[in-house]
mmCIF file of all heavy atoms in Angstrom:
data_model
loop_
_atom_site.group_PDB
_atom_site.id
_atom_site.type_symbol
_atom_site.label_atom_id
_atom_site.label_comp_id
_atom_site.label_asym_id
_atom_site.label_seq_id
_atom_site.Cartn_x
_atom_site.Cartn_y
_atom_site.Cartn_z
ATOM 1 N N ASP A 1 -1.987 -80.771 -0.714
ATOM 2 C CA ASP A 1 -1.142 -79.956 -1.601
ATOM 3 C C ASP A 1 -1.676 -79.920 -2.945
ATOM 4 O O ASP A 1 -2.015 -80.983 -3.478
ATOM 5 C CB ASP A 1 0.289 -80.420 -1.538
ATOM 6 C CG ASP A 1 1.279 -79.596 -2.417
ATOM 7 O OD1 ASP A 1 1.444 -78.423 -2.009
ATOM 8 O OD2 ASP A 1 1.692 -80.095 -3.361
ATOM 9 N N GLU A 2 -1.829 -78.801 -3.513
ATOM 10 C CA GLU A 2 -2.303 -78.600 -4.919
ATOM 11 C C GLU A 2 -1.266 -77.857 -5.810
ATOM 12 O O GLU A 2 -0.664 -76.927 -5.321
ATOM 13 C CB GLU A 2 -3.736 -77.902 -4.888
ATOM 14 C CG GLU A 2 -4.730 -78.661 -4.059
ATOM 15 C CD GLU A 2 -5.995 -77.764 -3.967
ATOM 16 O OE1 GLU A 2 -6.057 -76.623 -4.700
ATOM 17 O OE2 GLU A 2 -6.952 -78.170 -3.267
ATOM 18 N N LYS A 3 -1.234 -78.247 -7.055
ATOM 19 C CA LYS A 3 -0.304 -77.510 -7.985
ATOM 20 C C LYS A 3 -0.848 -77.531 -9.420
ATOM 21 O O LYS A 3 -1.106 -78.524 -10.011
ATOM 22 C CB LYS A 3 1.062 -78.159 -7.939
ATOM 23 C CG LYS A 3 2.083 -77.493 -8.730
ATOM 24 C CD LYS A 3 3.465 -78.176 -8.686
ATOM 25 C CE LYS A 3 4.567 -77.436 -9.472
ATOM 26 N NZ LYS A 3 5.908 -78.203 -9.348
ATOM 27 N N ASP A 4 -0.912 -76.332 -10.015
ATOM 28 C CA ASP A 4 -1.224 -76.087 -11.428
ATOM 29 C C ASP A 4 -2.459 -76.898 -11.872
ATOM 30 O O ASP A 4 -2.464 -77.526 -12.921
ATOM 31 C CB ASP A 4 -0.009 -76.581 -12.211
ATOM 32 C CG ASP A 4 1.212 -75.862 -12.043
ATOM 33 O OD1 ASP A 4 1.173 -74.683 -11.591
ATOM 34 O OD2 ASP A 4 2.382 -76.412 -12.091
ATOM 35 N N LEU A 5 -3.579 -76.778 -11.176
ATOM 36 C CA LEU A 5 -4.731 -77.543 -11.413
ATOM 37 C C LEU A 5 -5.591 -76.787 -12.420
ATOM 38 O O LEU A 5 -5.736 -75.570 -12.350
ATOM 39 C CB LEU A 5 -5.521 -77.881 -10.141
ATOM 40 C CG LEU A 5 -4.829 -78.652 -9.159
ATOM 41 C CD1 LEU A 5 -5.779 -78.931 -7.946
ATOM 42 C CD2 LEU A 5 -4.389 -79.997 -9.732
ATOM 43 N N PRO A 6 -6.230 -77.523 -13.390
ATOM 44 C CA PRO A 6 -7.235 -76.971 -14.313
ATOM 45 C C PRO A 6 -8.567 -76.740 -13.547
ATOM 46 O O PRO A 6 -8.833 -77.250 -12.467
ATOM 47 C CB PRO A 6 -7.392 -78.064 -15.356
ATOM 48 C CG PRO A 6 -7.233 -79.388 -14.520
ATOM 49 C CD PRO A 6 -6.102 -79.017 -13.575
ATOM 50 N N ASP A 7 -9.382 -75.867 -14.160
ATOM 51 C CA ASP A 7 -10.709 -75.579 -13.600
ATOM 52 C C ASP A 7 -11.721 -76.743 -13.775
ATOM 53 O O ASP A 7 -12.521 -77.085 -12.919
ATOM 54 C CB ASP A 7 -11.278 -74.270 -14.272
ATOM 55 C CG ASP A 7 -10.515 -73.038 -13.901
ATOM 56 O OD1 ASP A 7 -9.931 -73.040 -12.816
ATOM 57 O OD2 ASP A 7 -10.477 -72.183 -14.719
ATOM 58 N N ILE A 8 -11.413 -77.517 -14.955
ATOM 59 C CA ILE A 8 -12.391 -78.574 -15.355
ATOM 60 C C ILE A 8 -11.583 -79.893 -15.597
ATOM 61 O O ILE A 8 -10.475 -79.818 -16.160
ATOM 62 C CB ILE A 8 -13.236 -78.207 -16.628
ATOM 63 C CG1 ILE A 8 -14.009 -76.949 -16.353
ATOM 64 C CG2 ILE A 8 -14.111 -79.314 -16.963
ATOM 65 C CD1 ILE A 8 -15.082 -77.003 -15.266
ATOM 66 N N ILE A 9 -12.138 -81.018 -15.204
ATOM 67 C CA ILE A 9 -11.524 -82.236 -15.455
ATOM 68 C C ILE A 9 -12.501 -83.222 -15.957
ATOM 69 O O ILE A 9 -13.731 -83.213 -15.441
ATOM 70 C CB ILE A 9 -10.868 -82.780 -14.235
ATOM 71 C CG1 ILE A 9 -10.213 -84.286 -14.464
ATOM 72 C CG2 ILE A 9 -11.784 -82.973 -12.997
ATOM 73 C CD1 ILE A 9 -9.448 -84.726 -13.337
ATOM 74 N N GLY A 10 -12.267 -84.018 -16.987
ATOM 75 C CA GLY A 10 -13.155 -84.968 -17.609
ATOM 76 C C GLY A 10 -13.080 -86.315 -16.989
ATOM 77 O O GLY A 10 -12.177 -87.096 -17.296
ATOM 78 N N ILE A 11 -13.991 -86.625 -16.048
ATOM 79 C CA ILE A 11 -13.970 -87.970 -15.287
ATOM 80 C C ILE A 11 -15.325 -88.402 -15.008
ATOM 81 O O ILE A 11 -16.280 -87.685 -15.204
ATOM 82 C CB ILE A 11 -13.149 -87.799 -14.010
ATOM 83 C CG1 ILE A 11 -13.803 -86.775 -13.135
ATOM 84 C CG2 ILE A 11 -11.711 -87.624 -14.274
ATOM 85 C CD1 ILE A 11 -13.184 -86.721 -11.765
ATOM 86 N N ASP A 12 -15.411 -89.636 -14.543
ATOM 87 C CA ASP A 12 -16.664 -90.140 -13.852
ATOM 88 C C ASP A 12 -16.423 -89.702 -12.444
ATOM 89 O O ASP A 12 -15.714 -90.505 -11.754
ATOM 90 C CB ASP A 12 -16.840 -91.603 -14.106
ATOM 91 C CG ASP A 12 -18.210 -92.105 -13.388
ATOM 92 O OD1 ASP A 12 -18.453 -91.763 -12.348
ATOM 93 O OD2 ASP A 12 -18.887 -92.850 -14.079
ATOM 94 N N ALA A 13 -17.032 -88.701 -11.958
ATOM 95 C CA ALA A 13 -16.694 -88.151 -10.578
ATOM 96 C C ALA A 13 -16.942 -89.224 -9.508
ATOM 97 O O ALA A 13 -16.179 -89.341 -8.549
ATOM 98 C CB ALA A 13 -17.499 -86.845 -10.351
ATOM 99 N N SER A 14 -18.062 -89.818 -9.656
ATOM 100 C CA SER A 14 -18.499 -90.837 -8.531
ATOM 101 C C SER A 14 -17.477 -91.979 -8.472
ATOM 102 O O SER A 14 -17.009 -92.325 -7.384
ATOM 103 C CB SER A 14 -19.906 -91.340 -8.851
ATOM 104 O OG SER A 14 -20.272 -92.313 -7.875
ATOM 105 N N LEU A 15 -17.130 -92.550 -9.577
ATOM 106 C CA LEU A 15 -16.213 -93.674 -9.590
ATOM 107 C C LEU A 15 -14.708 -93.262 -9.183
ATOM 108 O O LEU A 15 -14.121 -93.942 -8.490
ATOM 109 C CB LEU A 15 -16.248 -94.324 -10.976
ATOM 110 C CG LEU A 15 -17.349 -95.228 -11.265
ATOM 111 C CD1 LEU A 15 -17.289 -95.790 -12.650
ATOM 112 C CD2 LEU A 15 -17.554 -96.400 -10.310
ATOM 113 N N MET A 16 -14.394 -92.148 -9.743
ATOM 114 C CA MET A 16 -12.987 -91.602 -9.468
ATOM 115 C C MET A 16 -12.879 -91.322 -7.914
ATOM 116 O O MET A 16 -11.883 -91.613 -7.336
ATOM 117 C CB MET A 16 -12.597 -90.431 -10.269
ATOM 118 C CG MET A 16 -11.186 -89.973 -10.091
ATOM 119 S SD MET A 16 -9.905 -91.270 -10.270
ATOM 120 C CE MET A 16 -10.210 -91.795 -12.042
ATOM 121 N N GLN A 17 -13.949 -90.758 -7.391
ATOM 122 C CA GLN A 17 -13.915 -90.444 -5.987
ATOM 123 C C GLN A 17 -13.817 -91.784 -5.143
ATOM 124 O O GLN A 17 -13.086 -91.804 -4.170
ATOM 125 C CB GLN A 17 -15.253 -89.694 -5.600
ATOM 126 C CG GLN A 17 -15.273 -89.163 -4.163
ATOM 127 C CD GLN A 17 -16.423 -88.375 -3.882
ATOM 128 O OE1 GLN A 17 -17.562 -88.908 -3.625
ATOM 129 N NE2 GLN A 17 -16.376 -87.088 -3.912
ATOM 130 N N ARG A 18 -14.587 -92.730 -5.654
ATOM 131 C CA ARG A 18 -14.460 -94.039 -4.936
ATOM 132 C C ARG A 18 -13.116 -94.613 -5.038
ATOM 133 O O ARG A 18 -12.591 -95.227 -4.055
ATOM 134 C CB ARG A 18 -15.505 -95.018 -5.566
ATOM 135 C CG ARG A 18 -15.462 -96.371 -4.871
ATOM 136 C CD ARG A 18 -16.570 -97.314 -5.532
ATOM 137 N NE ARG A 18 -16.527 -98.568 -4.737
ATOM 138 C CZ ARG A 18 -17.171 -99.631 -5.135
ATOM 139 N NH1 ARG A 18 -17.969 -99.610 -6.217
ATOM 140 N NH2 ARG A 18 -17.055 -100.721 -4.468
ATOM 141 N N ALA A 19 -12.468 -94.597 -6.136
ATOM 142 C CA ALA A 19 -11.130 -95.099 -6.274
ATOM 143 C C ALA A 19 -10.098 -94.501 -5.274
ATOM 144 O O ALA A 19 -9.318 -95.085 -4.625
ATOM 145 C CB ALA A 19 -10.598 -94.946 -7.762
ATOM 146 N N ILE A 20 -10.196 -93.066 -5.257
ATOM 147 C CA ILE A 20 -9.293 -92.343 -4.388
ATOM 148 C C ILE A 20 -9.575 -92.608 -3.005
ATOM 149 O O ILE A 20 -8.677 -92.819 -2.110
ATOM 150 C CB ILE A 20 -9.347 -90.816 -4.692
ATOM 151 C CG1 ILE A 20 -8.847 -90.570 -6.142
ATOM 152 C CG2 ILE A 20 -8.569 -90.066 -3.724
ATOM 153 C CD1 ILE A 20 -9.131 -89.167 -6.652
ATOM 154 N N ILE A 21 -10.877 -92.667 -2.570
ATOM 155 C CA ILE A 21 -11.283 -92.965 -1.209
ATOM 156 C C ILE A 21 -10.836 -94.323 -0.762
ATOM 157 O O ILE A 21 -10.510 -94.580 0.324
ATOM 158 C CB ILE A 21 -12.749 -92.762 -0.972
ATOM 159 C CG1 ILE A 21 -13.073 -91.185 -1.040
ATOM 160 C CG2 ILE A 21 -13.163 -93.207 0.439
ATOM 161 C CD1 ILE A 21 -12.277 -90.333 -0.066
ATOM 162 N N ASN A 22 -10.897 -95.281 -1.699
ATOM 163 C CA ASN A 22 -10.383 -96.646 -1.352
ATOM 164 C C ASN A 22 -8.974 -96.626 -0.972
ATOM 165 O O ASN A 22 -8.492 -97.244 0.004
ATOM 166 C CB ASN A 22 -10.610 -97.525 -2.598
ATOM 167 C CG ASN A 22 -11.931 -98.254 -2.622
ATOM 168 O OD1 ASN A 22 -12.754 -98.020 -1.826
ATOM 169 N ND2 ASN A 22 -12.117 -99.106 -3.665
ATOM 170 N N VAL A 23 -8.101 -95.834 -1.733
ATOM 171 C CA VAL A 23 -6.712 -95.698 -1.437
ATOM 172 C C VAL A 23 -6.516 -94.998 -0.087
ATOM 173 O O VAL A 23 -5.719 -95.412 0.654
ATOM 174 C CB VAL A 23 -6.027 -94.876 -2.576
ATOM 175 C CG1 VAL A 23 -4.532 -94.616 -2.191
ATOM 176 C CG2 VAL A 23 -6.058 -95.662 -3.903
ATOM 177 N N VAL A 24 -7.214 -93.977 0.120
ATOM 178 C CA VAL A 24 -7.161 -93.246 1.316
ATOM 179 C C VAL A 24 -7.533 -94.124 2.539
ATOM 180 O O VAL A 24 -6.942 -94.081 3.659
ATOM 181 C CB VAL A 24 -8.026 -91.938 1.334
ATOM 182 C CG1 VAL A 24 -7.995 -91.285 2.705
ATOM 183 C CG2 VAL A 24 -7.520 -90.906 0.249
ATOM 184 N N SER A 25 -8.581 -94.850 2.295
ATOM 185 C CA SER A 25 -9.016 -95.748 3.428
ATOM 186 C C SER A 25 -8.020 -96.648 3.840
ATOM 187 O O SER A 25 -7.689 -97.038 5.032
ATOM 188 C CB SER A 25 -10.298 -96.423 2.917
ATOM 189 O OG SER A 25 -10.888 -97.278 4.076
ATOM 190 N N ASN A 26 -7.273 -97.195 2.833
ATOM 191 C CA ASN A 26 -6.153 -98.121 3.066
ATOM 192 C C ASN A 26 -5.082 -97.398 3.861
ATOM 193 O O ASN A 26 -4.584 -97.863 4.850
ATOM 194 C CB ASN A 26 -5.590 -98.726 1.767
ATOM 195 C CG ASN A 26 -6.437 -99.911 1.323
ATOM 196 O OD1 ASN A 26 -6.321 -101.001 1.795
ATOM 197 N ND2 ASN A 26 -7.161 -99.668 0.280
ATOM 198 N N ALA A 27 -4.838 -96.206 3.422
ATOM 199 C CA ALA A 27 -3.689 -95.442 4.078
ATOM 200 C C ALA A 27 -4.057 -95.213 5.551
ATOM 201 O O ALA A 27 -3.176 -95.191 6.414
ATOM 202 C CB ALA A 27 -3.559 -94.097 3.330
ATOM 203 N N VAL A 28 -5.369 -94.842 5.876
ATOM 204 C CA VAL A 28 -5.731 -94.647 7.152
ATOM 205 C C VAL A 28 -5.575 -95.933 7.963
ATOM 206 O O VAL A 28 -5.092 -95.888 9.189
ATOM 207 C CB VAL A 28 -7.229 -94.201 7.223
ATOM 208 C CG1 VAL A 28 -7.762 -94.176 8.711
ATOM 209 C CG2 VAL A 28 -7.335 -92.738 6.650
#
């Protein structure tokens, strides 16, 4: 589900992806 997202976001994409995938991996 997505809502009101900007086109650009200022992050470290690699690390943030890792953080989220860690959470998802636990959820799985």
Side-chain angles (χ1 to χ4, degrees):
D1 182 64
E2 302 174 2
K3 183 180 179 182
D4 300 328
L5 298 181
D7 294 329
I8 301 296
I9 179 174
I11 56 172
D12 184 314
S14 178
L15 285 178
M16 185 53 62
Q17 186 176 81
R18 182 179 181 187
I20 295 170
I21 290 301
N22 272 5
V23 174
V24 173
S25 183
N26 278 286
V28 170

